[in-house]
Amino acid sequence: MLQSKLVEFAPLPLRIIAGVGFMIHGLPKILDIGKTQGSFMNMGLPADLAILIGLLEFIGGLVILLGFLTRIAAGLLAIEMIGAILSVKLSKGFIDGFELDLLYLAIMISLLITGPGFLSIERNLLKREMFPKSPKYSTPTSTTSTSTNDKENR
């Protein structure tokens, strides 16, 4: 029982590290948009994409950190990481190339699967996940045992 409760906290360190990391990478892109647009053009990417990526990384990192719209932000950031790996980083190799992007991608996939966990806006303030797990795949809880007892009593 204790282990199942602790598992609900597993996404928290992932959210903290990834959220702060994305915010740190996104903020300079937003603050010096001219330089970012130049960098994007040098990589063969549209200059207007720089604004979108900067905002996605900063705002997406913030909502991941806070545990709000976690699955949506994780999905968008996972798509961004796939795009970054395939369009820019893959040719640089693993070390000093796409290793960090791959790590962020793995974290985003984990958050897509698990949701925000405890200590999140979705769970603690809204009292629900924005995109909850399917009841078919949820772990048994006391409500399941209650409904089983109800069936046996009928």
Side-chain angles (χ1 to χ4, degrees), residues 24 26 34 63-64 81 86 110 128:
I24 289 171
V63 297
I64 289 286
M81 291 297 96
L86 294 178
S110 294
R128 68 183 184 93

Side-chain angles (χ1 to χ4, degrees), residues 74-75 78 82 102-115:
I82 291 168
L102 194 60
L103 183 59
Y104 279 133
L105 175 60
I107 292 171
M108 293 304 103
I109 291 170
S110 294
L111 292 174
L112 271 168
I113 294 167
T114 63

Side-chain angles (χ1 to χ4, degrees), residues 14-24 57 60-62 64-65:
L14 297 176
R15 285 190 9 243
I16 292 169
I17 293 297
V20 169
F22 274 115
M23 289 173 68
I24 289 171
E57 288 181 358
L62 180 62
I64 289 286
L65 178 65

Side-chain angles (χ1 to χ4, degrees), residues 33-34 36-38 40-41 45-55:
I33 197 64
T36 305
Q37 287 176 324
F40 272 57
M41 289 190 322
L45 299 171
D48 293 337
L49 190 60
I51 297 166
L52 281 171
I53 295 298
L55 289 172

Side-chain angles (χ1 to χ4, degrees), residues 3-4 9 14 19 25 33 38 65 71 77 82 92 100 106 117 123 134 139-140 144-145 147:
Q3 183 181 2
S4 65
F9 288 94
L14 297 176
H25 281 88
I33 197 64
L65 178 65
R71 286 191 165 110
L77 289 165
I82 291 168
K92 296 179 180 181
L100 182 61
R123 285 278 187 84
S134 168
T139 56
T144 306
S145 61
S147 63

